Amino acid sequence: MKIVLAYSGGLDTSVLLSWIKEKYHAELIAFCANIGQEEELQGLAAKAKATGASKIYIDDLREEFARDFIFPLIQAGAIYEGQYFLGTSIARPLIARRMVEIARKEKADATAHGATGKGNDQVRFELTAAALAPDLQVIAPWRDASFREEFPGRAEMIAYCQKKDIPVQASARKPYSMDRNLLHISFEAGILEDPWMDAFAPRNKGMFKLSVAPEDAPDKPEFVTIDFEAGNAVAVNGKALSPLGVMKTLNRLGGKHGVGRVDMVENRYVGMKSRGVYETPGGAILHFAHRQMETLTMDREVMHLRDSLIPKYSELVYYGFWFSPERLALQAFVTESQKNVTGTVRVKLYKGNIMVAGRKSPVSLYNPRMATMEADPTQAYNQDDATGFIRLNALRLNVAARVQRKLSHG
């Protein structure tokens, strides 16, 4: 049997690699995706092989992540439960898809992951596998009672590694868990399980990696321009950039001014509520600026229809249905809606805030001559026409009011 394992080189996946290999008498191929987590990848190949992997793939997927996953998400205006920019959610289908590709190339029988049975990631990994490779088995050790019995805690994992001569650096466990990629960093569990605890209090400054506290941000605001073409950002401050370049630049600028921090209690797909703290500096700027570009260039009815679909689209991403037919259908509509979302937005960044400071477009639908409160020199809008417009819209209200009045007077 041959199995492709999502591998980071940390304690958990090191144990998983060895344990799965023994239990299934299998050949293990390790896979690590570079999606902007900035983790130290040097020495990972040697570590995986020393732990028992026959081969390891370390793939730089950052440009693909930005272009094919983050940017379509931004075009859709997606934000889960009004706050979460879906940073972890959107990364999982990319990782799982690459695992399937490697499994096909290596003629593997299964893929494996280290997601727990309580979280969303297990669903995201496995729904992607179901959509792309239904014949592949998926192994999830944390849902195996024998695995949980053998490893009830971190101490047992460290002891297992020592016994097996697995090269891991056992360090003191952080008082929270962290997941990082190009779009965000998420923090959860540990000290964050108390929703009354203030994650942004000065004593917790050391937790954050991408952004300074708004109180510590520069006292002078910074203006940033973002150019859009068909709904995608193509330049920052006049400099043409790839999707990856856009994200890296906006992360740096947003982090400098402390924007994009979120603390929320969210509804996991498996049914429980969980508290998550997020840093999404670049994504927050891009989401805001994109919306500003749409206000100038998108038809009202198209915008309102798209907006009505944001909760559904966001759910599909959060729940792991990126490769579902309904998400693909929604994306087709989103792509169509973005054809004229072209122009430039200027934003002001200041102490945790993102404020619009201007927008312009060669295909703007805003007509100042028509909207002006002064006399319209073009006569494009005849105010007298509003009388009939209002009368027709009031008709059903008038009829209902007369009926109710008649009923109340007997």
Side-chain angles (χ1 to χ4, degrees):
M1 188 177 190
K2 193 182 285 189
I3 301 167
V4 178
L5 170 70
Y7 176 78
S8 68
L11 180 61
D12 286 25
T13 56
S14 294
V15 170
L16 285 173
L17 198 160
S18 177
W19 188 87
I20 293 170
K21 183 178 180 179
E22 278 190 359
K23 171 159 183 166
Y24 291 90
H25 306 288
E27 176 186 347
L28 265 288
I29 297 169
F31 163 61
C32 180
N34 177 5
I35 51 173
Q37 65 269 45
E38 302 294 336
E39 291 172 355
E40 185 55 63
L41 300 178
Q42 191 174 0
L44 199 62
K47 190 175 188 179
K49 289 183 178 178
T51 308
S54 64
K55 186 184 290 190
I56 180 167
Y57 286 79
I58 302 173
D59 296 343
D60 186 347
L61 304 179
R62 291 175 300 166
E63 194 70 71
E64 185 178 352
F65 182 38
R67 182 188 66 238
D68 298 338
F69 291 81
I70 296 174
F71 273 30
L73 187 80
I74 294 294
Q75 283 191 328
I79 187 165
Y80 182 67
E81 295 185 339
Q83 297 185 79
Y84 174 39
F85 291 105
L86 295 161
T88 295
S89 314
I90 194 61
R92 299 321 188 206
L94 171 59
I95 295 169
R97 183 177 74 180
R98 183 60 183 140
M99 288 175 72
V100 166
E101 292 168 354
I102 292 170
R104 293 292 192 221
K105 180 180 177 181
E106 296 288 341
K107 296 182 170 52
D109 307 284
T111 60
H113 63 78
T116 75
K118 284 187 173 183
N120 299 308
D121 280 343
Q122 58 178 340
V123 186
R124 296 164 184 155
F125 280 124
E126 296 182 38
L127 289 181
T128 297
L132 303 181
D135 54 306
L136 281 178
Q137 182 185 348
V138 179
I139 296 168
W142 281 109
R143 297 206 304 268
D144 186 320
S146 65
F147 181 84
R148 295 196 305 273
E149 188 175 333
E150 188 173 349
F151 302 106
R154 189 173 174 82
E156 289 78 10
M157 287 188 164
I158 293 171
Y160 177 88
C161 290
Q162 290 172 341
K163 180 182 174 184
K164 299 283 185 180
D165 290 324
I166 295 171
V168 294
Q169 289 183 331
S171 57
R173 187 161 202 163
K174 288 180 181 176
Y176 47 82
S177 68
M178 187 177 88
D179 179 74
R180 179 174 184 171
N181 64 43
L182 187 62
L183 183 53
H184 85 163
I185 297 184
S186 67
F187 308 91
E188 62 179 8
I191 60 173
L192 298 174
E193 288 177 354
D194 175 11
W196 185 250
M197 192 275 283
D198 181 1
F200 303 137
R203 67 179 179 275
N204 295 319
K205 279 184 182 180
M207 181 172 75
F208 298 96
K209 308 296 180 188
L210 291 178
S211 61
V212 301
E215 300 91 332
D216 298 332
D219 293 331
K220 184 180 178 182
E222 183 168 0
F223 291 85
V224 178
T225 61
I226 303 170
D227 296 340
F228 289 89
E229 287 181 9
N232 286 322
V234 296
V236 178
N237 289 332
K239 181 181 179 182
L241 295 167
S242 70
L244 173 59
V246 167
M247 294 308 302
K248 289 173 71 174
T249 301
L250 292 181
N251 274 332
R252 177 179 56 79
L253 292 168
K256 174 183 174 183
H257 292 277
V259 306
R261 291 186 171 194
V262 172
D263 179 347
M264 67 182 290
V265 175
E266 67 201 56
N267 290 293
R268 284 185 184 170
Y269 192 23
V270 294
M272 68 186 75
K273 288 184 181 289
S274 72
R275 193 266 190 98
V277 176
Y278 303 101
E279 287 183 280
T280 319
I285 296 171
L286 196 55
H287 184 276
F288 179 89
H290 176 258
R291 181 73 193 197
Q292 292 299 322
M293 195 75 270
E294 288 181 330
T295 64
L296 202 61
T297 59
M298 187 181 281
D299 174 79
R300 180 189 72 185
E301 295 306 313
V302 173
M303 176 184 280
H304 291 182
L305 180 56
R306 194 283 312 273
D307 286 356
S308 73
L309 297 169
I310 287 176
K312 180 61 178 177
Y313 183 104
S314 303
E315 270 188 2
L316 291 174
V317 177
Y318 188 84
Y319 292 171
F321 288 95
W322 182 257
F323 291 106
S324 67
E326 62 270 34
R327 201 284 302 178
L328 295 172
L330 282 180
Q331 198 72 56
F333 169 73
V334 167
T335 300
E336 175 67 20
S337 76
Q338 298 294 302
K339 286 194 306 184
N340 292 322
V341 182
T342 295
T344 302
V345 175
R346 184 173 56 221
V347 297
K348 180 168 73 171
L349 308 179
Y350 182 66
K351 292 193 176 295
N353 295 293
I354 310 168
M355 294 161 276
V356 66
R359 27 155 117 88
K360 61 182 179 179
S361 170
V363 289
S364 172
L365 298 178
Y366 173 69
N367 186 331
R369 292 187 168 217
M370 191 181 295
T372 182
M373 292 298 185
E374 304 298 326
D376 176 11
T378 66
Q379 297 298 310
Y381 185 93
N382 184 351
Q383 296 190 47
D384 293 347
D385 292 343
T387 302
F389 173 78
I390 295 167
R391 187 175 291 137
L392 288 175
N393 274 284
L395 181 60
R396 63 187 179 88
L397 304 178
N398 285 333
V399 171
R402 291 175 191 277
V403 170
Q404 292 300 322
R405 189 182 304 125
K406 188 180 293 185
L407 289 173
S408 64
H409 288 89

